[in-house]
Amino acid sequence: MVDVCVCIGTSCHLKGSYNVIQTFQQLIEERKLHDRVNMRPQFCMNQCRRGVSVQVDGEVFGVSPDGAKGFFETTVLARVATGLSQ
């Protein structure tokens, strides 16, 4: 199971965390990954300079709403496919 947390703190909210969450939820639904990806919101990750903070299996990334689909496809799906998650 790949664990994905999206920051919903004030700074990330203003940078578009809601749109990132919506994009991730849509992609999880389209690809039927509910049993392979555990996505949840998380309050402030203290990484405010990165854009919207997204944590994947403990590693924090900065994601823009426009780049959310590409990030999901390259980072999250890669972990799902290779089973890198615990």
Side-chain angles (χ1 to χ4, degrees), residues 10-21:
T10 303
S11 180
C12 287
H13 173 74
L14 293 173
K15 292 175 186 172
S17 63
Y18 177 77
N19 294 333
V20 172
I21 290 170

Side-chain angles (χ1 to χ4, degrees), residues 4 27 29 43 57 69:
V4 178
L27 294 167
E29 181 70 30
F43 193 68
D57 292 334
K69 181 177 180 181

